[in-house]
Amino acid sequence: MSVSEQLRKLPLFRELTPRESEILKQHLRSRYLEMGEDLFLEGDFGRSCFVVLSGCIGVYKDMGRGKQERLAGLDGGAIVGHMALIDNKPRSATCTAEEKSVLLELGRAEFDQLFSARSPFAFKILDKVAMDLVIRLRGATEKLTEAKVDADNADTSNIARTAAELLAGYDTSDVDLDGIDLDQITVEIPDMSKRMNAPRY
Amino acid sequence: MAHPLQAFFSTIKLFSTLNADELNEILRGIQPVQLKAGDRLFGQGDPGDAAYVIQAGRVQIFTTAEGREIEIAVLEAGAVLGELALLDGAPRSASARAADDCSLFRLDKSEFDFLRRNLRPAAYQLIRAMTVTICDRIRDTNLDVAALMREDAPAVEEALPPTRSGFFKRLFRRD
């Protein structure tokens, strides 16, 4: 199977014509990571976004005092790192290969070029990216409503859960909450507020 | 000829990246809506069939949970609301009603879908602007949740069993 055929199997690129997929291929670079190799680090400036082809990318957040919390594992078809290209804010988590992994990389310049092209091709990808973000926003809004209800009821166990979800879900998709032990989460507020009050573009 | 509302819409962030032709294409599909103070605009769970822009007056956004109303926001002139519906058409996650007498503009999802299906640059530019504001709102919403939890820290801590208070002390400490 050719690379462009492979691309069209990914949900993100499913709507592309064979020709569009050929063009996209020319903008993408393959990245091969060995187990344990970092894709990018929390706090980095975002230079590119990635689509996972094979393997597994672990998403880790620094919880302070050198403690790292694993938030998610991303495998084939997942997109990662695109928010930083859209809103120009630093990476909110560290991504590390947990096994030998193959990714496709789209650089910031190509990403910008693609999205300023006003072509049907750009439109189709943008549509998918926008839908991905809407889902994340709806999730965040739901959490806000829950937090308000819980605050009114002084329902502490739910607030604890919402807090954990907030920390875990901050800027990452496909977060696996089941693996997180609420009692084990430690976070320094100065660290968190520094992150959250990061300057707006 | 320029649409009479072009000047107003080009001051709104969501529409500010559209050029004159693109903006005109969107404006052709909008309708004015007048509301009296207290009138309902849409209710939680209603189909997401349109976005609105406030020209004058204020609109209150609220949800109803366990029989109580919880205010989420009060939006003022120039604000856009319900625009996520243009993308996914999902049911309204909150209710909206006029806090004052209001003048609004309504953009139907069906109008927008027509532009979107035909891959019109106007729809594309609007979606592009939306991705940026959505990223913004994701971060804002998370911030609000965090702030809310910090506000309630003393009450929360008091109600906590001793073994858990450490987590909240760290989480809510103000310094």
Side-chain angles (χ1 to χ4, degrees), chain B residues 29 31 48-51 85-86 106-118:
Chain B
Q31 303 144 21
D49 55 0
L86 295 181
R106 175 188 163 100
L107 173 60
D108 275 326
K109 177 166 167 56
S110 58
E111 295 279 347
F112 183 74
D113 280 343
F114 178 79
L115 300 175
R116 194 181 182 187
R117 260 199 319 276
N118 289 290

Side-chain angles (χ1 to χ4, degrees), chain A residues 4-201:
Chain A
S4 61
E5 278 169 12
Q6 260 186 336
L7 286 177
R8 288 167 60 216
K9 292 223 177 292
L10 301 173
L12 189 63
F13 304 129
R14 197 170 283 156
E15 323 270 326
L16 299 184
T17 65
R19 198 183 127 66
E20 287 167 342
S21 165
E22 272 299 317
I23 296 169
L24 177 66
K25 192 186 83 181
Q26 292 162 17
H27 289 284
L28 297 170
R29 285 181 300 275
S30 299
R31 275 284 292 274
Y32 301 90
L33 295 179
E34 293 298 327
M35 190 171 89
E37 205 176 331
D38 290 328
L39 183 61
F40 53 74
L41 301 176
E42 184 173 342
D44 278 359
F45 175 73
R47 296 183 194 284
S48 32
C49 66
F50 305 86
V51 178
V52 183
L53 281 186
S54 66
C56 184
I57 302 296
V59 183
Y60 295 85
K61 187 144 185 68
D62 188 354
M63 294 298 189
R65 292 183 196 157
K67 191 178 173 341
Q68 294 250 312
E69 186 76 44
R70 183 181 188 272
L71 301 183
L74 305 173
D75 49 22
I79 178 168
V80 58
H82 52 312
M83 259 178 84
L85 297 192
I86 292 170
D87 71 5
N88 296 313
K89 290 188 179 143
R91 301 289 193 201
S92 58
T94 294
C95 280
T96 307
E98 293 181 336
E99 48 189 86
K100 216 174 162 114
S101 300
V102 183
L103 299 95
L104 295 171
E105 176 172 14
L106 182 67
R108 177 179 282 274
E110 289 85 0
F111 184 88
D112 287 344
Q113 202 188 345
L114 200 67
F115 283 84
S116 56
R118 299 185 188 212
S119 62
F121 162 59
F123 199 113
K124 289 179 197 171
I125 297 177
L126 180 77
D127 223 57
K128 295 275 186 200
V129 170
M131 293 306 293
D132 170 87
L133 293 172
V134 170
I135 291 165
R136 292 183 197 208
L137 177 56
R138 290 206 186 276
T141 307
E142 231 164 77
K143 276 181 229 159
L144 177 59
T145 308
E146 277 169 29
K148 288 198 179 197
V149 173
D150 295 343
D152 281 3
N153 295 344
D155 187 339
T156 53
S157 61
N158 271 338
I159 291 184
R161 174 125 189 115
T162 308
E165 283 175 357
L166 173 77
L167 297 173
Y170 191 64
D171 269 6
T172 62
S173 57
D174 305 318
V175 171
D176 178 14
L177 278 174
D178 297 337
I180 296 175
D181 181 349
L182 293 183
D183 291 319
Q184 291 307 308
I185 293 183
T186 55
V187 60
E188 296 295 330
I189 269 299
D191 173 56
M192 188 163 131
S193 54
K194 191 174 79 196
R195 167 155 303 281
M196 292 196 149
N197 292 323
R200 306 182 141 265
Y201 63 97

Side-chain angles (χ1 to χ4, degrees), chain A residues 87 115 118 189 200-201, chain B residues 22 88 124 132 139-140 171:
Chain A
D87 71 5
F115 283 84
R118 299 185 188 212
I189 269 299
R200 306 182 141 265
Y201 63 97
Chain B
E22 291 161 354
D88 69 358
Y124 172 71
V132 179
R139 293 177 199 268
D140 271 356
L171 187 60

